[in-house]
Amino acid sequence: MGQFGLGASIRRSEDERFLRGRSRFLDDLNIAGAVHAAFLRSPHAHAEIRGIETGAAAAAPGVRAVFTGAELEADGVGALPCGTDQLIVLQRKDGSPAVYPRRPLLAQGRVRHVGEAVALVVADSEAQALNALEAIAVEYRALPLVVDTAAAAAPGAPEIWPEAPGNISFHWEHGDRAATDAAFAEAAHVVALDLVNKRVVINPIETRGAIGLYDPTDGRYTLHTNGQHVYETRRISAHVLGIDEADLRVLCDDVGGGFGVKYVTYPEQPLMLWAARKTGCPVKWMSGRMEAFLCDAHARDHVSQAELALDREGRFLAIRVTTVANLGAYASSHGPVCASILYTQLLMGGYTMPAFHAEVRGVFSNTCCVDAYRGAGQPESIYLLERIVDKAARELGLAADELRRRNFVAAARMPYATPSAITYDSGDFVGNLDDCLALADWPGFAERQQQSEAVGRLRGIGLASYVEMAAADRFESTDVAFNANGTVTVHIGTMSSGQGHETTFAQLLHEELGIPFERIVIVEGDTDRLPQGGGSGGSRSAQMAGAVIHVTAAKIRDKARAIAAHMLEAAESDIDFRDGAFVIVGTDRALGIMDIAAAARDPANLPDGMAPGLDERGQANLPEATFPNGSHICEVEVDPETGAVAILRYAVVSDFGRVINPLLLEGQVHGGVAQGIGQAFLERTVYDADGQLLSGSLMDYCLPRADDLPSFDFDYNEVPCTTNPLGVKGAGEAGTVGSLGAVINAIVDALAPLGVRHIDMPATPEQVWRAIRAANGAAANSKG
């Protein structure tokens, strides 16, 4: 509806309070009488705990209590569960169930990674709690350890869990092995590539935290936290504490970035609730940045071998992949899911791929747990696919765009069933590619390459195309309330962490009902006010909010139409709804939606038997996911003397279905691309042989800065999906999914004249310099 409806580029309404300091993040919340928590964390990657002496810490100034795993065990507190079985049942190779070891909230008997929590101190101030940690004496006996992904799966590696021989949590096979092997046997060309998708640390700008409260008068708990899914946190925390979900309220205000790492429930959340009951005080904990490096879920960490089979015309016949995926010391909530089904089901991307087979071993190591991060398994698979497709183009002497064009699923073939039993409902992959080539000025690259050569630089261009599955969780609910002051409050089960929900969701309701945009208030993050919801993750929020607001608005329109007909003394069939008003067809007699809402509070204005008010609650269950798709093109320049890489140009053309807010959409894509670029050539997670995290601070771990990035060129094609009422496809993760391959393909293209055929992420100056020197040495040896 015009200025504020779908398709309007409206600036984020929530930014007003952010910029003026009126936001409320978790650390802004100061509850009367609250005490503070701090954790003693293990300095060992693998060790037996022989004893813990807490007496001196308990006697330290301001200390209220010191807790260890023994107190939790004695009190019957449970362990943090792995949520994989709710989504997919995995097994080991012998058919036995996958191993998800017990994960206590505080270590019991043994620690298995540096940073694992061993003891909890509660004190009057944060400083007093931190000081008391130094008085705790722990006797450790160091044990053999393994941190490297491939080494953890190697014969004879130190075993982390006795119930997981060979450190294997699960062995996942997906696809048709026989058909894939047959395709390779008949192939005219087979391209092989070994690659490593390195571990990353996610680093949202706001660190994690939790504030626990307990009311002994009614036995209810309240948790303030800063996560992406208050309902999942309620469920898991209640399970761990052995209480009913009805006895726990979870609240979440503003969240400073999530990216998947805050979708996970962590030990600290139920621990603050338990500590609040034990001490009789609200208990607050906020993670420090270095603490976050040690104990927030990490991501990626795959070692893979890939093969692509092609016929004589360069058409794909099959892809075969073997991967070792590092889970860390425990099976985190969605870690095994990301490394199995989410990773393998899109290995064919947007291409016609008659057969595929993937084999994944999930392994334990003495490192921090691995879980979901922007894309959750899909950046890993699309990166692998786009790297081997690019290598195939080079080996077959075909242009990168030409090989992809030959193999894309045509728009006319939609809906298209893939060999992984997924059906793409819509998309124009060739159209996105063509538009991206034009946006990036692909034909003009040769001239720009010559300009770089003239000043001693190596210039490369890289292409990557992607398809992503969004909104695997397809339930959502909302409650729309018309308030006496003329505002409308929408409670919804998603959770913004910077995406702009307050703006886009208000646009959705304005489009549906014509309610003035400025009168709409969006509220998220309260499990008491709205009992059910799906949280935010997997690029689900806009499409699920759109679906549930659409359903709820239809109920409101139906009731409002009946009231309008009654008040205007007309038949309902004669009432038309347009631009926020109910009009008698063929007349100028009308009532606006807000006028009807005000009148509906008085039963005298209503038809007989109708309940007062226009308030409605709605739920939506969508049958299918959506499949955003597109192409990325990156152009780089490499200094051959130093290995330094500069990204000069970056273009993206994607299909997100119907676009709600182009301005905010572009911002989502920019952020995703920036995080992908960071992983591709800057971010490096390093554990030493003793399991110490050497890259455990922002002094040692390089995040992308503004001067590392170019201005992005972005455009989109609207191909509405058929799986939700608005035709919206997810957008939050797509920038990351497509960017990894584009950046590395560009760097390899720049280095290809020297003989470099592959470089693993991150392509740091050192890594690039070493690749150049190795290629120069190989060339010299061949001449000799």
Side-chain angles (χ1 to χ4, degrees):
M1 288 187 179
Q3 181 182 357
F4 296 105
L6 265 62
S9 289
I10 304 170
R11 292 183 181 273
R12 301 192 330 170
S13 54
E14 51 266 65
D15 286 350
E16 172 73 15
R17 73 169 194 277
F18 289 145
L19 293 171
R20 295 186 180 276
R22 294 200 295 266
S23 56
R24 191 164 88 154
F25 295 96
L26 184 64
D27 205 24
D28 296 325
L29 186 58
N30 295 304
I31 295 174
V35 294
H36 297 263
F39 288 92
L40 181 71
R41 298 188 181 275
S42 171
H44 294 275
H46 198 195
E48 176 188 347
I49 300 174
R50 290 189 160 184
I52 305 178
E53 175 54 54
T54 62
V63 171
R64 299 291 187 98
V66 181
F67 301 113
T68 68
E71 285 81 21
L72 291 169
E73 189 173 26
D75 215 34
V77 177
L80 204 65
C82 175
T84 296
D85 282 342
Q86 295 186 347
L87 303 170
I88 185 171
V89 177
L90 300 175
Q91 298 178 327
R92 289 169 56 87
K93 194 165 188 177
D94 61 5
S96 61
V99 176
Y100 307 135
R102 186 176 185 273
R103 185 181 179 186
L105 305 187
L106 294 173
Q108 296 175 0
R110 186 173 288 197
V111 291
R112 290 177 171 84
H113 69 91
V114 171
E116 184 169 0
V118 175
L120 165 65
V121 173
V122 179
D124 291 336
S125 71
E126 184 180 16
Q128 289 172 324
L130 290 170
N131 287 337
L133 295 180
E134 298 181 13
I136 300 175
V138 184
E139 182 183 356
Y140 295 100
R141 183 176 72 87
L143 298 170
L145 63 106
V146 60
V147 296
D148 180 76
T149 304
E159 274 192 1
I160 296 161
W161 295 98
E163 62 266 44
N167 294 321
I168 303 296
S169 167
F170 66 85
H171 188 109
W172 165 252
E173 289 197 48
H174 195 188
D176 189 329
R177 181 191 289 270
T180 301
D181 289 347
F184 272 88
E186 298 173 359
H189 306 282
V190 173
V191 179
L193 178 65
D194 294 347
L195 76 168
V196 176
N197 198 315
K198 288 286 180 68
R199 178 181 289 236
V200 294
V201 181
I202 299 163
N203 280 300
I205 193 168
E206 179 201 27
T207 57
R208 292 189 298 111
I211 304 172
L213 297 90
Y214 176 72
D215 186 347
T217 61
D218 61 7
R220 287 203 84 205
Y221 295 82
T222 299
L223 176 68
H224 296 269
T225 191
N226 54 356
Q228 297 172 231
H229 198 336
V230 292
Y231 302 95
E232 185 74 352
T233 298
R234 179 185 61 181
R235 182 187 68 81
I236 293 174
S237 298
H239 168 79
V240 170
L241 296 175
I243 62 174
D244 291 336
E245 287 189 45
D247 291 329
L248 172 58
R249 182 185 191 183
V250 181
L251 293 162
C252 192
D253 292 310
D254 293 317
V255 179
F259 312 119
V261 70
K262 290 182 183 173
Y263 193 89
V264 180
T265 300
Y266 291 86
E268 294 89 355
Q269 289 157 317
L271 270 173
M272 292 307 102
L273 295 167
W274 180 78
R277 181 172 66 84
K278 299 295 284 186
T279 63
C281 302
V283 183
K284 180 177 182 177
W285 169 78
M286 286 298 301
S287 171
R289 179 62 61 185
M290 294 179 69
E291 188 176 21
F293 268 93
L294 294 176
C295 59
D296 284 8
H298 295 179
R300 315 301 190 219
D301 208 342
H302 288 191
V303 176
S304 299
Q305 296 80 44
E307 296 174 284
L308 181 64
L310 304 92
D311 67 14
R312 296 186 184 281
E313 284 73 43
R315 289 185 168 80
F316 302 156
L317 301 176
I319 189 169
R320 183 161 55 197
V321 175
T322 302
T323 294
V324 177
N326 197 336
L327 302 178
Y330 297 91
S332 186
S333 178
H334 291 79
V337 184
C338 296
S340 57
I341 183 67
L342 294 181
Y343 170 57
T344 60
Q345 65 187 353
L346 288 177
L347 277 169
M348 63 294 305
Y351 305 115
T352 302
M353 190 79 70
F356 86 107
H357 183 260
E359 196 168 354
V360 181
R361 287 178 292 164
V363 300
F364 295 113
S365 69
N366 294 113
T367 61
C368 184
C369 298
V370 170
D371 211 297
Y373 169 43
R374 206 164 190 166
Q378 296 175 108
E380 295 93 314
S381 58
I382 295 300
Y383 171 68
L384 179 148
L385 174 65
E386 288 302 296
R387 279 296 298 122
I388 199 166
V389 167
D390 223 59
K391 190 168 187 281
R394 199 170 299 279
E395 291 187 8
L396 271 62
L398 292 172
D401 59 318
E402 174 56 27
L403 182 60
R404 288 170 170 84
R405 197 185 309 278
R406 289 186 188 185
N407 288 282
F408 272 142
V409 177
R413 297 185 67 182
M414 298 294 174
Y416 177 80
T418 74
S420 64
I422 284 176
T423 298
Y424 301 152
D425 67 289
S426 59
D428 183 359
F429 307 151
V430 174
N432 290 333
L433 173 61
D434 288 341
D435 289 348
C436 196
L437 292 171
L439 190 63
D441 187 21
W442 184 274
F445 171 73
E447 181 180 347
R448 297 191 296 275
Q449 187 177 43
Q450 290 175 0
Q451 293 170 356
S452 294
E453 290 173 357
V455 294
R457 298 288 193 268
L458 303 171
R459 198 174 188 115
I461 193 165
L463 165 64
S465 296
Y466 75 94
V467 177
E468 177 203 356
M469 186 175 79
D473 179 0
R474 295 185 281 276
F475 168 82
E476 195 50 81
S477 69
T478 191
D479 185 317
V480 178
F482 290 80
N483 306 313
N485 65 359
T487 63
V488 177
T489 301
V490 180
H491 289 268
I492 195 161
T494 53
M495 191 67 237
S496 177
S497 54
Q499 298 93 330
H501 289 182
E502 292 175 39
T503 304
T504 53
F505 296 178
Q507 287 181 257
L508 290 169
L509 190 62
H510 173 78
E511 179 78 14
E512 293 281 354
L513 294 177
I515 297 168
F517 176 84
E518 67 277 5
R519 295 192 189 180
I520 300 171
V521 180
I522 306 297
V523 179
E524 300 171 299
D526 185 344
T527 59
D528 271 12
R529 186 61 185 81
L530 189 71
Q532 293 178 289
S536 288
S539 299
R540 70 181 300 277
S541 296
Q543 55 198 302
M544 293 309 306
V548 75
I549 288 173
H550 176 80
V551 168
T552 309
K555 295 163 69 175
I556 292 171
R557 273 196 308 272
D558 288 346
K559 184 174 183 179
R561 178 178 279 108
I563 296 171
H566 179 75
M567 294 178 67
L568 294 170
E569 299 179 332
E572 282 191 46
S573 58
D574 291 335
I575 301 293
D576 189 22
F577 178 74
R578 58 178 181 266
D579 297 328
F582 293 87
V583 183
I584 298 178
V585 176
T587 75
D588 59 357
R589 297 181 66 206
L591 286 171
I593 184 73
M594 300 305 290
D595 296 325
I596 294 173
R601 295 187 183 91
D602 184 352
N605 295 322
L606 305 178
D608 291 341
M610 180 178 284
L614 276 188
D615 299 357
E616 282 289 353
R617 178 168 288 184
Q619 296 183 346
N621 282 281
L622 297 183
E624 301 293 341
T626 67
F627 298 94
N629 57 88
S631 289
H632 291 223
I633 294 175
C634 178
E635 195 166 321
V636 303
E637 195 173 65
V638 178
D639 182 343
E641 299 300 319
T642 66
V645 176
I647 298 179
L648 305 179
R649 300 163 65 105
Y650 201 101
V652 184
V653 175
S654 289
D655 161 25
F656 298 116
R658 191 178 182 189
V659 173
I660 300 171
N661 185 318
L663 181 66
L664 271 61
L665 172 65
E666 185 167 0
Q668 284 287 292
V669 174
H670 284 191
V673 170
Q675 287 187 299
I677 287 174
Q679 181 183 353
F681 87 123
L682 293 171
E683 300 179 42
R684 186 177 179 218
T685 306
V686 181
Y687 281 97
D688 70 10
D690 294 323
Q692 301 297 322
L693 184 61
L694 301 184
S695 54
S697 77
L698 292 177
M699 294 293 290
D700 307 294
Y701 188 90
C702 186
L703 293 175
R705 274 72 169 174
D707 60 354
D708 295 313
L709 307 173
S711 293
F712 300 124
D713 295 314
F714 171 70
D715 203 352
Y716 57 88
N717 290 315
E718 290 187 280
V719 183
C721 72
T722 62
T723 54
N724 64 62
L726 295 182
V728 174
K729 302 176 185 178
E733 298 164 308
T736 304
V737 174
S739 56
L740 303 178
V743 175
I744 296 300
N745 285 343
I747 294 172
V748 171
D749 185 60
L751 303 180
L754 305 179
V756 176
R757 294 294 175 260
H758 178 65
I759 188 167
D760 278 320
M761 299 184 291
T764 62
E766 178 189 354
Q767 293 283 91
V768 174
W769 183 86
R770 290 185 182 278
I772 291 171
R773 292 301 172 270
N776 289 341
N781 290 336
S782 66
K783 291 179 181 178

